[in-house]
Amino acid sequence: MADQKKMVEAITSMDEDFAKWYTDIVKKADLADYSSVRGCMIVRPYGCAIWENIQHILDTRFKELGHENVQMPMFIPESLLQKEKDHVEGFAPEVAWVTHGGEEKLTERLCVRPTSETLFCEHYAKIINSYRDLPKLYNQWCSVVRWEKTTRPFLRTCEFWWQEGHTMHETQQEAMEETERMLGVYAEFCENSLAIPVTKGRKTKKERFAGAEATYTIEAMMHDGKALQSGTSHYFGDGFSRAFGITFQGRDNKPQYPHQTSWGMSTRIIGAIIMTHGDNDGLVLPPAIAPVQVVVLPIAQHKEGVLEAARAVTERLRGVCRVKIDDSDNSAGWKFAEYEMKGVPLRLEMGPRDIAAGQCVVVRRDNREKTVVALDELEQRIPELLRAVHDGLYSKALANREARTWTAKTFDELKELAMEKTGFIKSMWCGGEACELRVKEEAGLTSRCMPFEQEHIGDTCPICGKPAVTSIIWGKAY
Amino acid sequence: MADQKKMVEAITSMDEDFAKWYTDIVKKADLADYSSVRGCMIVRPYGCAIWENIQHILDTRFKELGHENVQMPMFIPESLLQKEKDHVEGFAPEVAWVTHGGEEKLTERLCVRPTSETLFCEHYAKIINSYRDLPKLYNQWCSVVRWEKTTRPFLRTCEFWWQEGHTMHETQQEAMEETERMLGVYAEFCENSLAIPVTKGRKTKKERFAGAEATYTIEAMMHDGKALQSGTSHYFGDGFSRAFGITFQGRDNKPQYPHQTSWGMSTRIIGAIIMTHGDNDGLVLPPAIAPVQVVVLPIAQHKEGVLEAARAVTERLRGVCRVKIDDSDNSAGWKFAEYEMKGVPLRLEMGPRDIAAGQCVVVRRDNREKTVVALDELEQRIPELLRAVHDGLYSKALANREARTWTAKTFDELKELAMEKTGFIKSMWCGGEACELRVKEEAGLTSRCMPFEQEHIGDTCPICGKPAVTSIIWGKAY
C-alpha cells in the first residue's frame, strides 16, 4: 500500500516560465532543497548521487594525468588573502568573515575560502625548493563560499561544491599547456559524459579570474539560448609566486619563480544538465552520470511469473548498467511519471505477454522511442540503447546551439539580434574594453569568450570600426 | 639524477618521546602539514589517499545498508543551534562564528557546523510526513570545525574531516538497532580493514554526546597504552524531534515523533593507525587502506634485463593490488628507508640473480620477514602476503592491548595501577557520577566505556562500595 497517496504533480512548462520550470525540476526531481541559511542549498540524495558520479569520472581523469588530491583548511587569514592585490580586490567584497572562536574575539579575521589560491601558494612556498619538486599537480574537492546577493539552486549559491586544481610548473610553457590540457579535460567530459556541446575559448581581460593572466572557459548553451560558463582554467604566470615568495633552484642553480595554474568545475554543472536536456516532463539525464540508468517496471506484476522474471532481468543487468527495479504497489502511470521526472534514461517494461514472447519493451527518456528487445539480447542491447540516448541528447543540444547562433557584421545588426533573439552572437572585436562595455550597455550582452576556433567574419571591429584582432562570442549568461 | 640529494632522516624513537615520534611520522611520511590557520592542518597527498581509501570502504558499506549521501550547508544560524538545549550547551563554547558577509554585518550570527544534527532535523521536519517516509538513512562526508585550544594533526584539529550519519526511524527499537548496527560497522571496519582491535561499549552519562540518550563507542588502544575513541554512534530518542517539531502520521493515523540516531568516524582514525601500527622506522599501513600496497624495487637496475623484468612484474600485479615501481636513480638504501617511512606493506626486490632464478624477494614491512617468491606465482602469493601483514598487525596490536589490560577489585588497586601503568583498567561500577569523578580526580583516569561484553569482577563498586550495576573500563585517552 506504500506511496498510494503519492502523486507526481505536473511542472510549469518551460515555454511559460523558464525560471519556474527550472526550480520546479530541482524540487520535484528531489535534487536540492532550500535551507534556513540564506543562499545555501541542501543537496538531496538524488542530486548528491549525480554529483558523486561527476566526481568519480573527473577524479579518475585527473589522477590519470598525474594529479593528487589534498585537503586545505576552509579558512584563510585576512592577511593571507591580501597578499595578491588583484585577487583580494576580486574576492574580498563577497566573503564570509569569521570573527569569533567560541567566546573569544579573534586577533585576525578569517574568511571562509571563496577559492584557495592563497592557501595553496603558502603551502607551495614551503614544499617547493628545487626544479626536482616540479611540477606540483594538486587538486581539492570541497565546498567554497561566496556571499552572493541573489541565488538559485546549483546555478548560484552562497556555498557550492567544486574541485579546484592548483598546479606549479618549472616553465611558462608547461603551465600554459596544463591550463589548456585541463580545459580540454572539461570539454571532453561535458561532451562525452554529459552530452553537452561546449565552445572552448579565452575570456576577455574584463571577464578574467581575479589575479589570472589568462582565463580559458567552456561555454554551453541552455535551452533558452542563455550561456552557462561550465568550467574555467586559469594561467597565473608567476604573479602569485612573487607575491608569496615561492622560488625554486633551477637547472642553472639560480633561484626562479614557478608558473601557476588553477582550474575548477562546480555543482553549477548540474544546472547545465537540467537546462540543456530537461523537458516539460522533468529531468533528462545523460547516461554516464545518471544514478539509475535503467528502471525495470514489471507490468501487471500480480500475475504469475512477472515479478520473478523482472527480478531476474534486473539481476542480469547489474553487470552492465546501474539498474533498479520498482516493484512497489504504485500504479504503472505513477511510475512512468516518477521516472520521467527523475530523468532515468531507459525504462524497461515487462508484462505477462512480453515474458511469454521472450521480450520486453525499452522506452528511451529522451525521445520516447520504444524498442522491443529479446530478453536474451539484453546485455548487448541496453548498452547500445544507453549510447543512443547519449548521442540523441548531444545532437539535440547541438542543434539548439546551432539554431541559436548568429553572426553580426555591424553594431546595429548586433543590437538588433540582441533585442530579438537569445543565443550566441558572433562578431569581430578590436580587443578594447570600451567596445566591450558598449556592447554591455547598448545590447545587454556580455562577452562569453574568444573561441579557440577563430572565424573570419570581417576585418574590423563592428563597434568602433578599428582593426579587429579576434572573433568573439556575445551572449546573455547565467 | 632526480632526488640524489634527498635523505630519509631518522625519526625520534617512540620510547624516547612518544608525542614527538608521532608528529615526526606525520611530517616525514608526508601525511599532513601545519597551515597558517591556527589549529587547522593541510592533509597532504599521501594522507589524503589514505583517507580516500577509508572513505571508499565505509561509503560502500553504508550504501549496502541503504544509506544515502546528502550535502548540508556548512553554516548553522545561531537560533537553529539553540533549538535543542543540551546540544547547544555542549557545542556553543567551541564554534567559529561568522558575523559578516562581504561588507555587511549579518542580522544573525552563523556558526560553522561543529556537527549537523540541527541542520538535518530542520530538513527532516520538512520531508518527513508519514510512516511511509521512514526510515530516512542519510549520511554526509564533510569537514566540521570545533575551536579546540590545543591541537595535534589528525588527533585533534580545529577543522577535521569525517562522515556523519543521521537517521530517523518509526520506532525506538529500530533506531536503537541502527545505533548498534553502525557501531558494528565501525568495529568491523577497524578490525578487518585497519587491523585495529576495538572494544565496543556504551559511554557513561558524563561522556555522552551533547543531546544524546545513549552514546556507543569503539575504543582502541595505542602503543603507549592510551585509549583512542575511534568511532561513536548515538541514540537520541525523540528529543530533537520534539525540539524541531518533526512528526509523522503513524500507522494508527496519529501524529508521532520519529526516533533518531547519528554516528561518525573522522580523520582521527589516521592518528589511530599511526599509533597502533607505526614503529621507529616510520608508518606501518594496514594493506586495505595503503595507497601503495606493494613497491617494486629493481636492484642493480642498470644491468641488462632488470628494469624490463621489474616493469613486467609491476604490470602483472596491477590486477591484484595497488602497486608502484620505483625505478628512480636513488640508492637502494634510500628507497628502503623511504618506503619503510611511508609504511608500504610489501617491498618486492628483484636483482639480476633473482631474475635468472625466476624469483624475487618480498619483504614484509611489519616484521621484516623475507620470502622468496617464484615469479610465476606472484598473482597468488602477493594477496596471501598482504593478508599475512594484516593478520600480523592485528595480532601484535591485540597482544599489546592484552598486555596492557588490568583488573582492579579495590579503589586502592585501581589508583596504584593508574600510577604505575598506562592501559585499560577494568573494574565494577555503581553507575554514579560521583564515583566517576573520584576516579578522574584521584586516579587521573576517565571512563572509556561500559563494554558490551560484560565481565563479573565483583558485586560492588570499588569506589563507593555500593552494589555494582556494570563493569567499566578506565584509561587515559587521546
Side-chain angles (χ1 to χ4, degrees):
Chain A
M1 294 298 111
D3 295 322
Q4 277 295 15
K5 62 162 207 168
K6 260 197 195 176
M7 285 200 348
V8 181
E9 293 161 58
I11 56 175
T12 308
S13 150
M14 71 169 89
D15 310 300
E16 194 181 304
D17 185 341
F18 195 77
K20 180 123 197 334
W21 167 82
Y22 175 83
T23 45
D24 276 3
I25 289 190
V26 168
K27 291 213 71 170
K28 301 224 168 124
D30 295 336
L31 296 174
D33 202 356
Y34 297 101
S35 75
S36 68
V37 190
R38 187 193 143 280
C40 293
M41 66 175 164
I42 293 163
V43 187
R44 300 195 63 189
Y46 200 61
C48 222
I50 293 172
W51 182 238
E52 285 178 9
N53 289 337
I54 290 172
Q55 285 186 293
H56 180 71
I57 298 171
L58 285 176
D59 195 63
T60 303
R61 187 76 188 114
F62 297 160
K63 284 177 178 157
E64 281 168 2
L65 293 171
H67 301 90
E68 302 178 291
N69 286 337
V70 298
Q71 286 293 340
M72 289 282 159
M74 69 155 79
F75 299 124
I76 306 173
E78 188 163 15
S79 56
L80 190 65
L81 187 69
Q82 286 171 341
K83 275 203 172 178
E84 211 285 338
K85 193 180 62 61
D86 293 335
H87 190 68
V88 67
E89 274 178 19
F91 283 105
E94 57 175 39
V95 297
W97 290 106
V98 174
T99 56
H100 289 75
E103 309 293 317
E104 259 172 71
K105 188 164 188 234
L106 304 185
T107 52
E108 180 182 12
R109 296 199 299 179
L110 305 172
C111 80
V112 181
R113 63 181 162 216
T115 179
S116 305
E117 276 74 10
T118 52
L119 292 162
F120 275 85
C121 283
E122 186 187 43
H123 184 51
Y124 281 143
K126 284 171 75 176
I127 64 170
I128 293 174
N129 296 299
S130 153
Y131 68 89
R132 295 186 200 89
D133 299 325
L134 297 172
K136 279 275 177 260
L137 307 173
Y138 284 180
N139 176 61
Q140 163 167 274
W141 292 96
C142 64
S143 72
V144 292
V145 170
R146 298 177 188 174
W147 216 253
E148 304 281 357
K149 294 234 162 57
T150 50
T151 59
R152 290 174 69 188
F154 296 114
L155 292 179
R156 197 172 294 278
T157 45
C158 287
E159 179 185 21
F160 59 91
W161 289 262
W162 77 346
Q163 57 68 220
E164 44 178 329
H166 295 271
T167 70
M168 283 290 186
H169 304 264
E170 194 179 342
T171 66
Q172 173 171 11
Q173 191 191 330
E174 279 179 32
M176 291 182 80
E177 281 168 7
E178 170 82 359
T179 313
E180 284 195 41
R181 182 184 306 120
M182 299 319 292
L183 193 80
V185 167
Y186 290 148
E188 196 196 36
F189 171 70
C190 283
E191 304 203 330
N192 297 345
S193 297
L194 306 184
I196 298 177
V198 294
T199 303
K200 291 193 270 188
R202 202 154 45 89
K203 287 280 181 191
T204 63
K205 192 177 172 198
K206 182 174 171 297
E207 300 287 330
R208 257 185 229 157
F209 184 80
E213 283 193 15
T215 288
Y216 297 147
T217 178
I218 48 171
E219 299 284 323
M221 187 191 284
M222 306 296 101
H223 272 315
D224 61 351
K226 282 201 200 168
L228 194 134
Q229 177 181 304
S230 303
T232 48
S233 186
H234 316 290
Y235 170 68
F236 288 98
D238 59 10
F240 276 78
S241 290
R242 286 173 189 272
F244 284 80
I246 311 171
T247 57
F248 66 94
Q249 195 182 34
R251 288 170 201 269
D252 57 1
N253 278 327
K254 290 187 188 141
Q256 297 181 21
Y257 292 109
H259 295 261
Q260 184 182 0
T261 86
S262 80
W263 27 275
M265 184 172 268
S266 77
T267 38
R268 235 189 158 205
I269 201 71
I270 295 176
I273 294 169
I274 298 170
M275 292 196 293
T276 304
H277 302 308
D279 64 21
N280 285 333
D281 293 318
L283 194 60
V284 180
L285 289 178
I289 56 86
V292 177
Q293 296 171 314
V294 179
V295 61
V296 175
L297 301 184
I299 308 294
Q301 64 187 39
H302 57 282
K303 298 227 171 131
E304 204 190 322
V306 173
L307 262 182
E308 291 73 6
R311 285 177 185 155
V313 157
T314 307
E315 285 314 309
R316 275 173 52 200
L317 285 177
R318 285 198 199 287
V320 293
C321 64
R322 292 187 286 271
V323 61
K324 167 187 159 157
I325 184 169
D326 185 346
D327 52 9
S328 70
D329 287 340
N330 292 301
S331 68
W334 181 89
K335 291 180 189 176
F336 289 178
E338 169 70 7
Y339 296 105
E340 293 203 332
M341 181 64 77
K342 290 271 172 80
V344 175
L346 295 179
R347 179 172 87 219
L348 191 157
E349 306 169 12
M350 296 175 67
R353 270 179 297 181
D354 299 309
I355 295 165
Q359 65 186 39
C360 64
V361 178
V362 180
V363 186
R364 281 171 58 170
R365 172 65 182 88
D366 62 321
N367 62 4
R368 268 76 174 177
E369 204 174 276
K370 291 188 182 196
T371 310
V372 174
V373 176
L375 291 180
D376 54 15
E377 288 175 4
L378 271 174
E379 280 89 346
Q380 182 205 328
R381 298 299 306 283
I382 290 293
E384 286 171 9
L385 284 164
L386 288 171
R387 270 192 298 278
V389 171
H390 173 91
D391 294 343
L393 290 175
Y394 186 85
S395 306
K396 212 196 253 179
L398 188 63
N400 181 55
R401 189 179 78 183
E402 282 170 359
R404 287 177 172 276
T405 301
W406 298 276
T407 302
K409 297 202 172 179
T410 66
F411 195 25
D412 280 345
E413 217 181 328
L414 203 162
K415 286 187 279 190
E416 209 169 302
L417 280 166
M419 198 116 88
E420 286 168 12
K421 317 275 193 185
T422 308
F424 287 171
I425 304 176
K426 300 192 278 190
S427 81
M428 299 308 285
W429 181 46
C430 63
E433 199 163 311
C435 290
E436 193 178 358
L437 284 170
R438 273 191 72 190
V439 173
K440 171 92 181 128
E441 277 158 27
E442 297 179 37
L445 303 180
T446 54
S447 69
R448 303 318 311 146
C449 69
M450 298 173 278
F452 288 173
E453 281 187 27
Q454 280 285 307
E455 269 179 81
H456 183 79
I457 300 163
D459 296 317
T460 55
C461 172
I463 303 117
C464 66
K466 283 186 199 147
V469 297
T470 180
S471 76
I472 189 165
I473 297 174
W474 311 96
K476 293 194 177 81
Y478 277 99
Chain B
M1 294 298 111
D3 294 322
Q4 277 296 16
K5 62 162 206 167
K6 258 197 197 176
M7 286 201 349
V8 180
E9 294 160 57
I11 56 175
T12 308
S13 151
M14 72 168 87
D15 310 300
E16 193 182 306
D17 184 340
F18 195 77
K20 181 121 196 335
W21 166 82
Y22 176 83
T23 46
D24 275 1
I25 289 190
V26 168
K27 292 212 72 170
K28 302 222 168 127
D30 295 335
L31 296 174
D33 201 357
Y34 297 100
S35 75
S36 68
V37 191
R38 188 194 142 280
C40 293
M41 66 175 165
I42 294 164
V43 186
R44 301 195 62 189
Y46 200 61
C48 222
I50 293 172
W51 182 238
E52 284 179 10
N53 288 338
I54 290 171
Q55 285 186 292
H56 180 72
I57 298 171
L58 285 175
D59 195 64
T60 303
R61 187 75 188 115
F62 296 160
K63 284 177 177 156
E64 281 168 2
L65 292 171
H67 301 91
E68 302 177 293
N69 286 336
V70 298
Q71 286 293 341
M72 290 282 159
M74 69 156 78
F75 299 124
I76 305 172
E78 189 163 13
S79 56
L80 190 66
L81 187 69
Q82 286 171 340
K83 275 203 170 178
E84 211 282 341
K85 194 179 60 63
D86 293 335
H87 191 68
V88 67
E89 275 178 19
F91 284 105
E94 58 176 39
V95 296
W97 290 106
V98 174
T99 57
H100 289 74
E103 308 294 316
E104 258 172 71
K105 190 166 187 235
L106 305 184
T107 51
E108 179 180 12
R109 297 199 298 179
L110 305 172
C111 79
V112 181
R113 64 182 161 214
T115 179
S116 304
E117 276 75 10
T118 52
L119 292 162
F120 276 85
C121 283
E122 185 186 44
H123 184 52
Y124 281 144
K126 284 171 76 175
I127 64 170
I128 293 173
N129 296 299
S130 152
Y131 68 89
R132 295 184 201 89
D133 300 324
L134 296 173
K136 281 275 177 259
L137 307 174
Y138 284 179
N139 177 60
Q140 162 167 273
W141 292 95
C142 63
S143 73
V144 293
V145 171
R146 297 177 189 175
W147 216 253
E148 303 281 357
K149 294 233 162 60
T150 51
T151 59
R152 290 174 68 188
F154 296 113
L155 292 178
R156 196 173 296 277
T157 45
C158 287
E159 179 184 20
F160 59 90
W161 288 262
W162 76 348
Q163 58 67 220
E164 44 179 328
H166 295 272
T167 70
M168 282 290 186
H169 304 264
E170 193 179 342
T171 64
Q172 172 172 12
Q173 191 192 331
E174 280 178 32
M176 291 182 79
E177 281 168 6
E178 170 81 359
T179 314
E180 285 195 41
R181 183 184 306 120
M182 299 320 292
L183 192 80
V185 167
Y186 292 148
E188 197 196 35
F189 170 71
C190 283
E191 304 204 328
N192 297 344
S193 297
L194 305 185
I196 298 177
V198 293
T199 302
K200 292 193 271 189
R202 202 154 46 88
K203 287 280 180 191
T204 62
K205 193 178 172 199
K206 183 174 170 297
E207 300 288 330
R208 258 184 226 156
F209 185 80
E213 283 193 16
T215 288
Y216 298 147
T217 179
I218 47 171
E219 300 284 323
M221 186 192 284
M222 306 296 100
H223 272 316
D224 61 353
K226 282 202 200 168
L228 194 135
Q229 177 181 304
S230 304
T232 48
S233 185
H234 315 289
Y235 169 70
F236 288 98
D238 58 10
F240 277 78
S241 292
R242 287 173 189 271
F244 283 80
I246 311 170
T247 58
F248 66 94
Q249 194 181 35
R251 288 170 201 271
D252 58 1
N253 279 326
K254 289 185 187 145
Q256 297 180 21
Y257 293 108
H259 296 261
Q260 184 183 359
T261 85
S262 80
W263 27 275
M265 184 172 268
S266 78
T267 38
R268 236 190 156 203
I269 201 71
I270 296 177
I273 294 169
I274 298 170
M275 292 196 293
T276 304
H277 302 309
D279 64 22
N280 285 333
D281 293 318
L283 194 61
V284 180
L285 289 177
I289 55 87
V292 177
Q293 295 171 315
V294 179
V295 61
V296 175
L297 301 185
I299 307 295
Q301 63 188 38
H302 57 282
K303 298 228 171 132
E304 203 190 322
V306 173
L307 262 182
E308 292 72 5
R311 285 177 185 155
V313 157
T314 307
E315 284 315 306
R316 275 172 54 198
L317 285 177
R318 286 201 197 286
V320 294
C321 64
R322 293 188 285 273
V323 63
K324 166 186 161 159
I325 184 170
D326 184 345
D327 51 9
S328 69
D329 286 339
N330 291 301
S331 68
W334 181 87
K335 291 181 188 175
F336 289 178
E338 169 70 7
Y339 297 105
E340 292 202 333
M341 181 64 77
K342 289 273 172 78
V344 174
L346 295 178
R347 177 172 88 219
L348 192 156
E349 305 169 13
M350 295 176 67
R353 269 178 299 181
D354 298 310
I355 295 165
Q359 65 188 37
C360 63
V361 178
V362 180
V363 186
R364 282 171 59 170
R365 172 67 182 86
D366 61 323
N367 62 5
R368 267 76 175 178
E369 204 175 277
K370 291 189 181 195
T371 311
V372 174
V373 177
L375 291 180
D376 55 13
E377 288 177 4
L378 272 175
E379 282 88 346
Q380 181 204 328
R381 298 300 305 284
I382 289 293
E384 285 171 11
L385 283 164
L386 288 171
R387 268 193 298 279
V389 171
H390 173 91
D391 294 343
L393 290 176
Y394 185 85
S395 305
K396 212 196 254 179
L398 189 62
N400 181 55
R401 188 179 79 183
E402 282 169 1
R404 287 177 172 277
T405 300
W406 299 276
T407 302
K409 296 202 170 178
T410 66
F411 195 25
D412 280 344
E413 218 181 330
L414 205 162
K415 286 187 278 191
E416 210 169 302
L417 279 166
M419 198 116 89
E420 287 167 12
K421 318 276 194 184
T422 308
F424 287 171
I425 304 175
K426 299 192 279 192
S427 81
M428 298 308 285
W429 180 47
C430 62
E433 199 164 310
C435 290
E436 193 178 358
L437 284 170
R438 274 192 71 191
V439 172
K440 172 92 180 127
E441 277 158 28
E442 296 179 38
L445 303 180
T446 55
S447 70
R448 303 318 313 148
C449 70
M450 298 172 279
F452 288 174
E453 280 187 28
Q454 281 285 305
E455 269 178 81
H456 183 78
I457 301 163
D459 297 317
T460 56
C461 172
I463 304 115
C464 67
K466 284 186 197 147
V469 297
T470 179
S471 76
I472 189 165
I473 296 175
W474 310 95
K476 292 195 177 80
Y478 278 100

